[in-house]
Amino acid sequence: MFENAPLFPERASAIARQVDHLFLFALGGAAFFSILIAVLIFYLGIRYRRRSPSEVGRPPAEHSRSTTILEATWSLVPLGLLTILFVWGARLYFVIARPPANASELQVIGKQWMWKIQHPEGNREINELHVPVGRPIRLTLTSEDVIHSFFLPEFRIKTDVLPGRYSSLWFEADRIGTYHLFCAQYCGAEHSRMTGRVVVMEPHDYQSWLAGERRGRPPAESGAALFVSKACVTCHRPDTAARAPVLTGLFGRKVALQDGRSIVADEGYIRESILNPQAKIVAGYQPIMPTFQGQVGEEELLQLIDYVKTLKPHGGS
């Protein structure tokens, strides 16, 4: 149903059908009540039009039982429908917001007027995203300049891409083909140029594409080299001479701060610790780390974060 409707793009992800069903439920409810209210306004306007005093009957002496039932109906029915809409939307939101643990992680940087995409294997793309069918893909997105919005209409997903912050998005393509990639946020005079495409391939074709494309160094390896070149290794060392927290097993772990708070070490926390190390001092350490603001770009920040993700305890997966 609605597969070929011009207002409904083709469905190409596992979540698209659920999003469409929720949208149609909300649209159908809004249309039904809009028509119902319009009809009632028209009917009541005629039924209770201004009349001469001789035509006006005596008003009811007391609140009738039928009026109470009517009032309860027009209150409880919309309440029930809105509750269904809320619960349905919340469940779908949690599905969209929680990528599967086995998702492949790609990095996306928005910039006027292009999308730069980094694969974990080292492949890089501009305004193109090649993915295998049937495999969950998690995107970590940020912007180098202004606010953008990463929009894949056939996958029914969209998220704002903000400078200085990381957004996350995931999808699982369930149909091979080529699909649109748009920036859905007006980001400047040539915003319309910020388009691209997503190419969904069979897994073996995707592996051939990975092998055939010119590959660079995987971002985690670049991050490891950067970690050494920026002398981070002199303080973040796993021995008694360490003057900064040990990074092994850090990502995803809760960190106790000097002010008594605690925070989960995610991408945003690591980014802030590199650019503004005084913002959240780890308990037991002195605020001696210098800022790297202006010394590392967005790609290098993502590479350093990828490197930290790889620092897992022995025996960890």
Side-chain angles (χ1 to χ4, degrees):
M1 188 177 181
F2 300 111
E3 287 285 345
N4 299 317
L7 295 179
F8 280 79
E10 181 182 0
R11 297 188 187 112
S13 75
I15 203 71
R17 186 177 299 277
Q18 299 180 51
V19 174
D20 282 358
H21 289 171
L22 178 61
F23 173 75
L24 290 172
F25 177 80
L27 183 64
F32 172 77
F33 282 105
S34 297
I35 295 172
L36 177 64
I37 291 171
V39 170
L40 287 175
I41 289 174
F42 183 74
Y43 168 74
L44 295 175
I46 296 176
R47 178 70 175 81
Y48 296 102
R49 68 187 184 280
R50 184 175 183 181
R51 303 182 185 187
S52 63
S54 60
E55 294 178 300
V56 178
R58 179 176 296 177
E62 58 183 14
H63 203 64
S64 67
R65 183 171 179 273
S66 60
T67 303
T68 303
I69 294 174
L70 179 61
E71 291 175 349
T73 301
W74 76 43
S75 299
L76 294 179
V77 170
L79 176 63
L81 291 175
L82 289 175
T83 302
I84 293 173
L85 190 63
F86 171 76
V87 173
W88 192 350
R91 291 186 61 184
L92 188 55
Y93 171 79
F94 283 118
V95 171
I96 294 175
R98 295 176 176 176
N102 62 340
S104 298
E105 299 197 13
L106 278 66
Q107 300 164 356
V108 180
I109 298 176
K111 179 184 179 181
Q112 293 172 323
W113 321 95
M114 67 177 72
W115 296 106
K116 298 189 291 186
I117 297 165
Q118 172 76 66
H119 290 253
E121 294 83 1
N123 303 63
R124 295 184 177 189
E125 301 184 83
I126 300 290
N127 290 340
E128 284 195 349
L129 171 58
H130 288 75
V131 296
V133 68
R135 182 188 303 174
I137 304 293
R138 179 179 184 269
L139 305 176
T140 300
L141 309 100
T142 190
S143 169
E144 284 188 355
D145 38 44
V146 299
I147 299 176
H148 301 284
S149 185
F150 191 86
F151 180 35
L152 303 179
E154 286 87 356
F155 298 79
R156 306 295 194 271
I157 55 173
K158 181 172 78 70
T159 190
D160 287 343
V161 183
L162 310 175
R165 291 178 57 181
Y166 292 125
S167 306
S168 180
L169 194 67
W170 82 275
F171 65 92
E172 180 178 328
D174 60 2
R175 185 177 300 183
I176 61 173
T178 301
Y179 306 100
H180 295 101
L181 163 59
F182 293 125
C183 175
Q185 174 73 37
Y186 180 72
C187 56
E190 299 187 62
H191 157 72
S192 61
R193 290 177 50 193
M194 201 163 172
T195 61
R197 63 176 190 162
V198 180
V199 181
V200 181
M201 315 169 76
E202 293 288 356
H204 57 84
D205 292 334
Y206 177 69
Q207 291 302 323
S208 300
W209 177 83
L210 285 176
E213 285 291 305
R214 183 178 180 181
R215 297 178 57 173
R217 181 188 286 184
E221 290 185 18
S222 299
L226 198 59
F227 191 79
V228 174
S229 68
K230 295 294 183 183
C232 310
V233 68
T234 58
C235 293
H236 292 282
R237 45 193 299 172
D239 55 32
T240 56
R243 296 188 296 169
V246 176
L247 301 182
T248 302
L250 171 69
F251 187 79
R253 179 164 54 85
K254 188 173 287 188
V255 178
L257 303 180
Q258 204 171 60
D259 58 8
R261 295 178 298 158
S262 60
I263 190 171
V264 175
D266 57 8
E267 289 96 343
Y269 168 73
I270 298 173
R271 174 197 175 87
E272 184 182 50
S273 299
I274 296 171
L275 300 181
N276 185 14
Q278 312 304 321
K280 296 182 178 68
I281 306 297
V282 176
Y285 292 91
Q286 297 299 315
I288 59 173
M289 178 173 165
T291 178
F292 285 83
Q293 182 79 48
Q295 300 181 44
V296 290
E298 291 296 340
E299 288 188 44
E300 292 175 320
L301 282 169
L302 288 170
Q303 291 167 358
L304 284 168
I305 293 170
D306 259 23
Y307 170 63
V308 173
K309 289 180 179 179
T310 64
L311 300 177
K312 298 178 180 177
H314 293 298
S317 56

